[in-house]
Amino acid sequence: MPDLLTMRDVSVTYRTEGGDVPAVRGVDLALSRGEIVGLAGESGCGKSTLASTILRLQPPSATVTGQVLFEGEDVLTMSWGDLRALRWAGASMVFQGALHSLNPVRRIGDQIAEPIRVHSPETPDREVEARVGELLEQVGLPPTRARAYPHQLSGGQRQRVMIAMALACRPRLIVADEPTTALDVMVQAQVLDVLSALVHELGVGMLMISHDLSVLADLCDRIVVMYGGRVVETGPAEGVFGGALHPYAGALSAAFPRVGDPRARFAPSGLPGDPPDPAQLPPGCAFAPRCPRAIEECTRAVPELRSFGADRSAACIRVAS
Ligand code: ADP
Ligand code: MG
């Protein structure tokens, strides 16, 4: 059986007035049926750009190369008809900021029903209504809320509506791009609980994007860490969070300790410095200028992603094999 999602050597370059911005550089990523993979990295590392290619949602200014295979078919070259069939029903997205994604003048029930009506126009109204009620219950909202308008719901409830909408056509893959970053910590935890319970229960695969490695460690089977548009580490969630190989992954773990983790009290308030401008990556390893373990050799060549055992890889010459 083919993997649900296989990305091979994916690169994305934005054409801008200031010149080309190579935001994603040669990324490989695979996700099996029912698996939850976390994509981590600070803001600007290329996570959303990479994710946008899965449903071919990148802007026209972006040039994408490589392959994005969904159930074996390349999304980048498929016909518009196939792409329409893929969106919502094969794979769907949950974005950050439900406030801006929901239509303020339409009842939320109608908005959840829309992808169902588009994909199965022959579905009788009664069935669509029943399905909307079922979806609302699945995300922990009373079915009567179908009649509410977005402004009558809290931020957390609106984000649950976005999750219900993403599940409406029973997709095999959900791409969740920082789905809770805009919410406060308690609400964030509740929404993540709903999301993870549902993907497990329904056997849906998920690519979960977050800058917060501790959130991913709790939720995901595997974690992929990006820096400067490249993958710098991959491995089982607990391994990457608790025992990172790449110094960047280690710094990210320390910057976002689990709530209640004693390390929280000793951790630095954040990672010093900023991630690089993708248009001007430093020579060699892009992390070298911020890396406590960097040596002169690190600045000479981009380190290759090397395997460490069957299920780990890291792109750092300082990690002993
Ligand atoms: P992340 O999701 O990890 O924060 P993004 O994929 O949003 O990262 O951005 C990666 C890089 O691409 C950033 O430097 C960002 O400024 C740039 N970028 C994103 N979208 C565009 C765009 N439409 N045009 C030009 N540059 C962009
Ligand atoms: Mg992003």
Side-chain angles (χ1 to χ4, degrees):
M1 190 162 60
D3 277 346
L4 189 57
L5 176 72
T6 308
M7 307 180 95
R8 284 200 197 120
D9 196 22
V10 173
S11 295
V12 185
T13 300
Y14 293 105
R15 223 166 299 261
T16 73
E17 282 183 9
D20 285 357
V21 179
V24 172
R25 303 168 186 241
V27 168
D28 291 323
L29 189 151
L31 197 152
S32 303
R33 231 164 256 281
E35 189 183 26
I36 305 182
V37 173
L39 186 58
E42 289 162 289
S43 176
C45 286
K47 307 180 298 297
S48 296
T49 299
L50 181 69
S52 71
T53 66
I54 299 170
L55 288 174
R56 214 159 98 196
L57 292 169
Q58 71 276 3
S61 67
T63 307
V64 185
T65 59
Q67 286 184 314
V68 179
L69 305 175
F70 184 80
E71 294 175 339
E73 259 222 79
D74 196 343
V75 176
L76 301 179
T77 56
M78 68 174 52
S79 68
W80 284 105
D82 287 349
L83 190 60
R84 247 195 319 271
L86 168 72
R87 290 178 181 168
W88 296 107
S92 63
M93 281 196 84
V94 180
F95 296 100
Q96 180 180 343
L99 187 55
H100 308 291
S101 322
L102 290 170
N103 183 335
V105 298
R106 289 187 67 201
R107 297 182 197 275
I108 59 149
D110 291 338
Q111 300 191 55
I112 296 171
E114 184 158 307
I116 305 171
R117 292 192 199 282
V118 169
H119 276 273
S120 322
E122 70 290 351
T123 316
D125 284 353
R126 250 184 314 110
E127 259 178 55
V128 175
E129 241 173 75
R131 174 78 180 131
V132 168
E134 178 187 51
L135 286 160
L136 284 171
E137 274 188 326
Q138 282 181 332
V139 298
L141 291 173
T144 48
R145 296 307 267 161
R147 301 190 54 75
Y149 289 95
H151 75 267
Q152 295 172 309
L153 303 179
S154 69
Q157 289 173 329
R158 280 194 296 260
Q159 202 57 327
R160 287 166 194 250
V161 169
M162 297 300 291
I163 295 169
M165 208 189 276
L167 290 168
C169 296
R170 301 189 167 87
R172 275 91 73 203
L173 175 67
I174 288 186
V175 181
D177 192 353
E178 314 249 10
T180 60
T181 301
L183 305 172
D184 69 57
V185 177
M186 291 305 292
V187 179
Q188 181 172 348
Q190 287 164 4
V191 173
L192 287 174
D193 281 349
V194 167
L195 190 58
S196 65
L198 276 175
V199 293
H200 281 117
E201 187 185 316
L202 303 173
V204 181
M206 180 160 76
L207 182 65
M208 170 87 185
I209 301 174
S210 178
H211 61 281
D212 186 336
L213 208 51
S214 67
V215 162
L216 297 180
D218 285 338
L219 213 65
C220 301
D221 303 309
R222 269 186 318 119
I223 290 178
V224 174
V225 182
M226 283 181 79
Y227 191 79
R230 293 193 179 95
V231 172
V232 296
E233 178 156 353
T234 69
E238 281 305 318
V240 174
F241 185 68
L245 296 174
H246 196 288
Y248 178 61
L252 261 193
S253 304
F256 298 100
R258 277 197 175 93
V259 178
D261 186 328
R263 277 187 304 166
R265 283 178 287 139
F266 310 114
S269 54
L271 212 49
D274 292 305
D277 175 353
Q280 291 168 15
L281 288 192
C285 173
F287 188 58
R290 297 168 78 191
C291 182
R293 301 191 56 202
I295 53 176
E296 206 260 316
E297 200 189 330
C298 296
T299 62
R300 286 202 208 121
V302 176
E304 268 177 55
L305 201 56
R306 288 184 291 149
S307 295
F308 296 86
D311 58 358
R312 304 275 313 251
S313 64
C316 174
I317 59 167
R318 302 283 278 143
V319 182
S321 6

